[in-house]
Amino acid sequence: MLLQQSLFKESTLPTGIHRRLEALLSQDLDFHNEQSRYASHSFHAFPAKFPPQLPRKFINGLTKEGDVVLDPMMGSGTTILEAYLLNRKAIGFDIDPLALLLTQVKVCPLDITAARRTGHCIIESAEAELAQDQAGLTQRLEQRWNRKTKEFVDYWFFPATQIELLALAEAIGRVSDFRLRSFFELALSAIIITKSGGVSLALDLAHTRPHRAKVIIDESGKILEDDSDVESPSTHSIQPAENASVRAAFLTKKLRSPIEEFRRRYVQNIDGLSFLRDVRFQPRLQFGNARGLALEDSSVDLIVTSPPYASNAIDYMRAHKFSLVWLGHSISTLGETRKRYIGGESTTDVEYVKLPEYSANIVKEVGRLDARKGRVLHRYYSEMTGSLREMFRVLRPGRVAIVVVGSSEMRGTDTQTGKCLAEIGRSIGFEVPKIGVRQLDRNRRMMPASTNRNPKSQIQKRMHEEFVIGFLKGNN
Ligand SMILES: C[S@@+](CC[C@H](N)C(=O)[O-])C[C@H]1O[C@@H](n2cnc3c(N)ncnc32)[C@H](O)[C@@H]1O
């Protein structure tokens, strides 16, 4: 109740959009000790999501009920859920199918009794299938995917886990109500995509390149597979564990029952549903590219968004495909989607734009050290130029876009993402009255991979900061 009251707290900010924006950006933007797991915010893990207090601060401070709030790269839908809870008209786009599912489910109120009943039926149905038709399930596993996807599944999922996951996926697929089905699809995904790799054989999904377990044990501790003496790229990358037993422990994964994990997960998610009642505006969410939004000019009152890092520093699709293959997607189509991510690494078929001076110099500096990396960074700033142009186009005059970004390190050079995006924004027509800085909570936030291992280095310190850029579209 207290939380619900604080959501609707009135703001006491100066009048005049410039001063209001500056005041908001000067306040505490860290939110380290705040509770962020209320409502449906914790339905599913998602790398680099921002704390809900961040969009809430700007939605409360810069809009009123009924205003339109957009996130063109909505990710796990933090802005969308906050706008929804605060009775704003939320609009969200993303190119990632998991982001769309996740956000849809997070703002979809359900009848709690029907959800409980459906969860119970799914478990009963999956258990019955497992008890009565293992052969049928095994056969359907063989036929479910194309070769590439099957290879991926076989590498990352233990055979017994695959059978249970299939029984669950099929039982969920038989739920006829789309909204209930989506809710349970998301719970299934949530038991696979966790920081520690969930029920897959991945030891972590927080790394850009996940590591596969070498020793697999069941819940009683019995060894099911032991490849601990086989060297692989994943064993090489685990540096600190030098003696054999520590090394083996590092690489060991205890298999958990997907059915049990699923039961726990959906029961937990059902608790969050009670928060989702009595809102006036249902969000509009769709697949879409932030560089070409299906929205009218001057139709949005506030944007709060966080684009990907440059150079794919957090590789969303690498983690998301672990569950998306169970929801009907193939590895090759997911690979195609990955190519369209802002910040991707391919440098062919890219429309490079002429950058303003400071950003062009940073690109040049990185390019001097590594020509390909320079092109990757140029691609990122070109794509962000396209995205900022769209934000400018769809915002109403006198309104604000809040863009939250972290810097990346490329060949030891700080990409200065905050400064560069501010400069690019100005070149498009935005005013940038202030850039706020927030410190990331290292314990809570997944960080992008870095080649610099000295935590005291300036660049490492900067990697733990995020810039909150306030872009204002003037009235002329
Ligand atoms: C940092 S995440 C957003 C996290 C979000 N603020 C949250 O709290 O969950 C960036 C998102 O941008 C999306 N994205 C990348 N390229 C995109 C594009 N071209 N158009 C739309 N979304 C894109 C990614 O799929 C990812 O979900």
Side-chain angles (χ1 to χ4, degrees), residues 46 48-50 72-78 94-96 288-290 306-308 316 340-342:
F46 200 87
K49 61 177 171 186
F50 40 44
M73 295 168 258
M74 65 189 161
S76 68
T78 314
D94 206 293
I95 53 167
D96 183 316
N289 195 323
S306 57
Y316 292 93
R340 292 190 291 121
Y341 267 79
I342 288 179

Side-chain angles (χ1 to χ4, degrees), residues 122-352:
I122 290 170
I123 300 256
E124 253 188 10
S125 163
E127 283 178 339
E129 199 73 10
L130 281 165
Q132 291 156 20
D133 193 17
Q134 287 262 341
L137 281 166
T138 309
Q139 195 186 12
R140 292 200 292 284
L141 265 182
E142 288 305 313
Q143 295 158 355
R144 189 173 171 89
W145 293 287
N146 60 26
R147 187 183 52 78
K148 212 168 157 195
T149 311
K150 178 87 175 85
E151 278 170 12
F152 174 84
V153 171
D154 284 343
Y155 184 76
W156 288 107
F157 294 89
F158 198 69
T161 310
Q162 289 188 27
I163 299 224
E164 259 188 61
L165 282 174
L166 180 64
L168 278 171
E170 287 186 345
I172 295 168
R174 287 191 286 272
V175 175
S176 54
D177 182 290
F178 172 76
R179 291 156 29 124
L180 279 168
R181 191 168 66 243
S182 302
F183 177 82
F184 288 101
E185 282 177 344
L186 190 71
L188 184 75
S189 176
I191 66 165
I192 300 172
I193 301 184
T194 72
K195 217 171 165 187
S196 59
V199 299
S200 77
L201 294 176
L203 288 164
D204 62 72
L205 283 180
H207 273 79
T208 301
R209 196 177 285 281
H211 305 107
R212 185 187 186 276
K214 299 243 122 207
V215 181
I216 298 154
I217 59 175
D218 68 12
E219 290 198 81
S220 69
K222 193 173 127 208
I223 295 181
L224 303 172
E225 195 182 292
D226 185 351
D227 289 331
S228 54
D229 50 356
V230 180
E231 284 289 324
S232 76
S234 64
T235 47
H236 284 306
S237 62
I238 294 176
Q239 302 287 346
E242 265 151 22
N243 85 40
S245 62
V246 179
R247 217 165 139 79
F250 230 129
L251 300 167
T252 298
K253 180 127 189 185
K254 186 189 269 189
L255 285 189
R256 299 219 166 85
S257 154
I259 291 196
E260 286 315 311
E261 295 295 302
F262 175 75
R263 191 200 312 267
R264 251 197 298 277
R265 188 71 211 199
Y266 87 69
V267 167
Q268 188 186 318
N269 284 4
I270 282 177
D271 285 345
L273 283 175
S274 53
F275 244 93
L276 304 187
R277 304 218 185 115
D278 304 329
V279 292
R280 295 222 314 270
F281 307 107
Q282 202 48 43
R284 175 182 151 197
L285 308 172
Q286 62 188 81
F287 278 118
N289 195 323
R291 293 187 293 141
L293 297 169
L295 289 176
E296 301 275 313
D297 296 358
S298 307
S299 57
V300 168
D301 298 297
L302 172 70
I303 296 172
V304 187
T305 195
S306 57
Y309 282 80
S311 184
N312 239 337
I314 290 181
D315 190 336
Y316 292 93
M317 195 49 93
R318 207 189 289 262
H320 292 179
K321 63 188 177 193
F322 276 73
S323 77
L324 287 172
V325 291
W326 291 98
L327 301 179
H329 298 265
S330 78
I331 288 293
S332 36
T333 52
L334 295 175
E336 286 306 309
T337 303
R338 183 172 175 273
K339 284 189 197 150
R340 292 190 291 121
Y341 267 79
I342 288 179
E345 284 186 307
S346 160
T347 53
T348 47
D349 298 329
V350 176
E351 279 175 47
Y352 294 103

Side-chain angles (χ1 to χ4, degrees), residues 16-34:
I17 188 70
H18 273 90
R19 289 181 48 224
R20 224 175 158 76
L21 180 57
E22 280 182 56
L24 285 166
L25 288 167
S26 306
Q27 292 174 4
D28 170 32
L29 301 170
D30 294 350
F31 312 109
H32 287 180
N33 296 317
E34 302 220 19

